[in-house]
Amino acid sequence: MTELAPLCCGVAARLTDGREIYPRRTDLHHKLIYKCDRCGAYCGCHPGTTKSLGTPANSETRRARSDFHDQVFDPLWKTAVITGGYTVRDEREANRIRKAARNRLYVYLANHLGISRDDCHTAMFTIDHIRRATEILKDVTYLDIRAWHRALYRSKGKAA
Ligand SMILES: [Zn+2]
C-alpha cells in the first residue's frame, strides 16, 4: 500500500521507478515515480521517500518540460565555456565547466523558485514551475548566474 500516492483521474497513482519512466536515463533509474495508469501522467518523489512531488504530469506538462530544456535551460549551461570566457585545453576541461555551470544553474533556479536543490529537476517541474523558471531565466546570462553564485558563497563565508 502506498498511502501517499497522489490521485490522478480519480484513482491513486501507481508507484514505480525511473527504469519504467526514463528507460534511457540511467541516472534517473533509482528515482521513485508515481504513474497514473489511466492517462499516463507521472511525477517524482521527494528524495529518499515515497512522498510525491506535486501532481502527476500529463503530456502537456511533459511537452512544456521538454521545450524548457531545449529552448531555455540547456542553451544556458551548454554554452558556458564561450559565454563564461573560459580558455580550455581539452574537451575534458570543457565538460567539467559545463557540468559546474549546470549545477550553478540549478542552484540559481531552486533559490529563485523557492524550492530545495534536491527538488529542483526539470523532470519534476509542473507547468507553473516552468512558467516561473522561464520568466526567471529570461534575459539572464551564464555570467549573471556565475556572479550570483560567487556572491552567495561569499555571503555564506561571512556568516560562518
Ligand atoms: Zn491520470
Side-chain angles (χ1 to χ4, degrees):
M1 273 303 285
T2 44
E3 287 164 50
L4 299 166
L7 293 177
C8 188
C9 301
V11 294
R14 175 175 55 86
L15 188 63
T16 177
D17 62 34
R19 283 173 297 185
E20 177 182 344
I21 308 296
Y22 309 106
R24 286 177 299 181
R25 290 289 305 273
T26 50
D27 57 319
L28 299 176
H29 280 187
H30 67 287
K31 297 259 183 212
L32 291 174
I33 295 162
Y34 283 103
K35 185 185 178 188
C36 172
D37 287 322
R38 295 203 175 168
C39 73
Y42 51 80
C43 65
C45 292
H46 288 274
T49 74
T50 54
K51 190 170 180 280
S52 73
L53 266 172
T55 52
N58 57 19
S59 57
E60 183 200 357
T61 305
R62 295 201 298 274
R63 165 48 62 112
R65 285 173 184 165
S66 166
D67 287 349
F68 175 72
H69 243 294
D70 294 347
Q71 294 159 22
V72 181
F73 191 83
D74 291 350
L76 267 172
W77 66 267
K78 283 185 175 172
T79 59
V81 173
I82 298 154
T83 56
Y86 294 101
T87 308
V88 294
R89 282 163 302 197
D90 52 27
E91 192 52 26
R92 225 179 80 188
E93 202 176 343
N95 275 333
R96 193 178 50 75
I97 288 164
R98 281 191 288 264
K99 204 177 158 194
R102 190 168 177 273
N103 187 52
R104 283 177 187 151
L105 178 54
Y106 263 129
V107 171
Y108 183 89
L109 257 188
N111 187 282
H112 286 75
L113 284 169
I115 60 178
S116 81
R117 171 65 184 86
D118 281 347
D119 293 345
C120 191
H121 196 290
T122 51
M124 295 171 178
F125 278 4
T126 62
I127 291 268
D128 183 55
H129 282 136
I130 293 159
R131 201 175 291 132
R132 287 166 59 209
T134 304
E135 190 60 32
I136 287 162
L137 296 177
K138 200 176 76 180
D139 305 325
V140 167
T141 66
Y142 176 60
L143 280 182
D144 297 331
I145 291 165
R146 200 174 64 174
W148 176 88
H149 203 262
R150 215 173 264 160
L152 177 77
Y153 277 87
R154 211 177 289 137
S155 67
K156 273 187 182 170
K158 263 180 204 160

